[in-house]
Amino acid sequence: DAGVIQSPRHEVTEMGQEVTLRCKPISGHNSLFWYRQTMMRGLELLIYFNNNVPIDDSGMPEDRFSAKMPNASFSTLKIQPSEPRDSAVYFCASSLRDSSGNTIYFGEGSWLTVV
Amino acid sequence: AQSVTQLGSHVSVSEGALVLLRCNYSSSVPPYLFWYVQYPNQGLQLLLKYTTGATLVKGINGFEAEFKKSETSFHLTKPSAHMSDAAEYFCAVRQPGANNLFFGTGTRLTVIP
């Protein structure tokens, strides 16, 4: 079974450029999460969606960050303009929202370097 | 409010020795608890989870964890460390009915030959 698929796996970009990270959740899952991992701050939730609707975006650091989920099988995280402090690993994750302690499954991550 | 504390950002054990990674949580209601493992340059993989029922939970790769409500702990153990266990381990908590996971800061496990 295909897991959560993220692209690109690695990206190096110059400061000021727009960055778009893409995610395909596991088929049938109705919750999608974007996390950021850095040495300084660990794993932080940026935003999550239920049934394609953003539920909590309080973790989005600045207006430079935006996320969309136009349908159940695709989401994007965009940074415009990018800055060196945005360098991090960005994880997309998905789960089936129910009441039984459902597992959140993670993608392999997008490793972003802004120079 | 809920939070997770992992004691020890780095743990080193000898191959064949007991692995003990500590996790304490804070939650207003009994939470769901998770351990994830992250190998270098990879995403997070679920090791095990506790939701309800038996408090001793067995996971993959010989790991297990015990939910102790009185101690608000969910420590991860493995009787005998293997070289392939070297990785970073994250404890996470979620309140029933909520959707988000709150992660601890992680513990990096080194296994010494």
Side-chain angles (χ1 to χ4, degrees):
Chain A
D1 288 343
V4 176
I5 299 171
Q6 293 186 244
S7 65
R9 287 295 315 278
H10 296 88
E11 175 143 352
V12 180
T13 191
E14 291 185 346
M15 182 174 61
Q17 295 298 306
E18 177 179 293
V19 173
T20 299
L21 308 179
R22 298 173 177 80
C23 176
K24 177 179 169 55
I26 293 173
S27 178
H29 282 187
N30 55 6
S31 293
L32 183 140
F33 308 79
W34 282 101
Y35 284 87
R36 179 172 68 176
Q37 185 179 35
T38 60
M39 290 290 291
M40 292 295 293
R41 301 172 68 91
L43 273 161
E44 305 172 275
L45 177 70
L46 299 178
I47 185 171
Y48 78 89
F49 297 82
N50 282 343
N51 296 315
N52 314 338
V53 176
I55 302 300
D56 182 357
D57 65 355
S58 59
M60 297 284 265
E62 300 172 33
D63 290 346
R64 299 184 296 105
F65 286 69
S66 63
K68 294 182 179 180
M69 192 165 187
N71 57 63
S73 59
F74 184 67
S75 177
T76 58
L77 178 67
K78 186 174 293 187
I79 309 172
Q80 166 63 14
S82 59
E83 297 182 3
R85 61 194 168 119
D86 302 331
S87 298
V89 185
Y90 291 83
F91 288 106
C92 179
S94 72
S95 72
L96 179 63
R97 177 173 169 79
D98 60 23
S99 61
S100 62
N102 46 293
T103 298
I104 295 180
Y105 295 87
F106 284 77
E108 294 287 292
S110 291
W111 302 69
L112 174 65
T113 302
V114 183
V115 298
Chain B
Q2 52 193 315
S3 64
V4 177
T5 301
Q6 291 185 240
L7 293 176
S9 58
H10 291 86
V11 170
S12 294
V13 300
S14 297
E15 190 174 15
L18 171 72
V19 176
L20 170 61
L21 305 181
R22 299 179 185 275
C23 173
N24 288 88
Y25 68 89
S26 171
S27 177
S28 56
V29 298
Y32 298 148
L33 295 157
F34 303 77
W35 275 100
Y36 282 82
V37 61
Q38 184 179 27
Y39 297 103
N41 301 319
Q42 294 187 25
L44 280 74
Q45 178 184 2
L46 181 72
L47 270 179
L48 49 79
K49 67 179 180 182
Y50 169 79
T51 55
T52 59
T55 57
L56 181 62
V57 180
K58 295 185 185 299
I60 61 172
N61 302 338
F63 283 93
E64 61 183 37
E66 186 171 10
F67 169 57
K68 292 187 176 180
K69 184 179 177 181
S70 61
E71 299 178 7
T72 61
S73 69
F74 191 57
H75 302 331
L76 182 70
T77 61
K78 181 174 180 177
S80 176
H82 192 273
M83 295 299 294
S84 61
D85 295 326
E88 186 138 19
Y89 293 79
F90 292 90
C91 183
V93 62
R94 174 202 281 152
Q95 289 195 345
N99 215 14
N100 183 27
L101 277 177
F102 289 90
F103 284 89
T105 52
T107 298
R108 183 170 298 278
L109 176 66
T110 299
V111 182
I112 303 166

